[in-house]
Amino acid sequence: MVRFAAFGLVVAAVATELAKPEPERTWEGRVFGVVPYDFRPPTWQRIRDAYWNPNSDHLLSDRVFGVGWAINLHQAKTLMAETFGRLIRMTVRSEGSGRKPGVTITRD
């Protein structure tokens, strides 16, 4: 089902471009105004901007080639580090709350 939807989006993107007069075809845009597409040859700068962009706060960016989105790995790393930091602080705070464990282990 997902493959069928993805194929449909590719067909819609190509049909959108072919419906334009030839001088107006950019081979990039959005299907139904939502899903990005780009059929231009990728460049290293666009690859870097899509997959590792410290200047963007967005987790998802337009895909370098094809239809859909790419994951900004820099933002994903940042979000995971923040989440991990919060979890560690919560764990340290709960362990240092002054409560004593209900079980005492002794040696015979």
Side-chain angles (χ1 to χ4, degrees):
M1 187 64 150
V2 173
R3 286 185 181 182
F4 183 72
F7 180 74
L9 288 171
V10 170
V11 169
V14 170
T16 299
E17 289 299 317
L18 291 177
K20 299 176 185 176
E22 193 166 336
E24 294 177 18
R25 293 179 189 159
T26 60
W27 296 102
E28 64 172 317
R30 294 190 177 270
V31 177
F32 308 121
V34 178
V35 181
Y37 67 87
D38 195 339
F39 295 116
R40 300 173 298 165
T43 64
W44 287 114
Q45 184 63 45
R46 287 194 3 244
I47 292 169
R48 190 174 28 251
D49 288 345
Y51 293 101
W52 190 267
N53 189 352
N55 299 322
S56 174
D57 292 334
H58 294 93
L59 179 60
L60 298 176
S61 60
D62 292 358
R63 203 168 194 171
V64 178
F65 185 82
V67 177
W69 293 272
I71 296 177
N72 180 355
L73 296 173
H74 182 272
Q75 185 63 18
K77 176 192 75 87
T78 302
L79 290 171
M80 287 191 303
E82 289 172 2
T83 303
F84 183 73
R86 283 189 203 122
L87 289 172
I88 293 297
R89 283 191 297 276
M90 285 176 29
T91 303
V92 169
R93 199 174 309 132
S94 67
E95 287 178 357
S97 64
R99 295 187 332 231
K100 294 190 179 188
V103 176
T104 305
I105 299 175
T106 59
R107 269 191 148 159
D108 288 336

